[in-house]
């Protein structure tokens, strides 16, 4: 729900007086118990605890698009040559 790189705005953090409302930070990762491990713009690295701390996501990283194609789909080069992306393993024809 909060991938690495998500920008967060803090509303309130339980027990942390030097973490003011409105402070922003970036999610580094979500740990095994669901806490958001953060790097805050004030230089601190404190975890957010969903359900205990109040915050909102202000932006999320754009998903990386990957190129998918069929394994045997030909690619046409700028010079008109056709290339195939599928390589079969095994012995070559005529090999003894």
């Amino acid at each position: 729900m909060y991938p690495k790189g998500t920008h967060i705005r803090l509303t309130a953090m339980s027990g942390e007086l030097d973490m003011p409302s409105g402070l922003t930070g970036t999610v580094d990762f979500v740990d095994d118990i669901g806490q958001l491990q953060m790097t805050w713009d004030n230089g601190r690295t404190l975890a957010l605890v969903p359900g205990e701390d109040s915050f909102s996501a202000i932006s999320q990283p754009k998903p990386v698009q990957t190129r998918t194609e069929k394994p045997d789909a030909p690619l046409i080069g700028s010079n008109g040559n056709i290339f195939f992306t599928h390589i079969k393993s095994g012995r070559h024809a005529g090999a003894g």
Side-chain angles (χ1 to χ4, degrees), residues 73-88:
L75 299 175
I76 301 175
S78 59
N79 60 0
N81 289 343
I82 298 175
F83 301 92
F84 288 87
T85 59
H86 183 73
I87 299 173
K88 294 183 179 183

Side-chain angles (χ1 to χ4, degrees), residues 10-21 23 36 38 40 44-49 52-55:
L10 184 64
T11 305
M13 183 177 279
S14 179
E16 295 293 334
L17 299 177
D18 60 339
M19 299 296 287
S21 179
L23 182 65
L36 282 63
M38 302 287 300
W40 294 98
R44 296 203 56 193
T45 55
L46 283 174
L48 277 174
V49 181
E52 184 174 327
D53 301 320
S54 299
F55 61 93

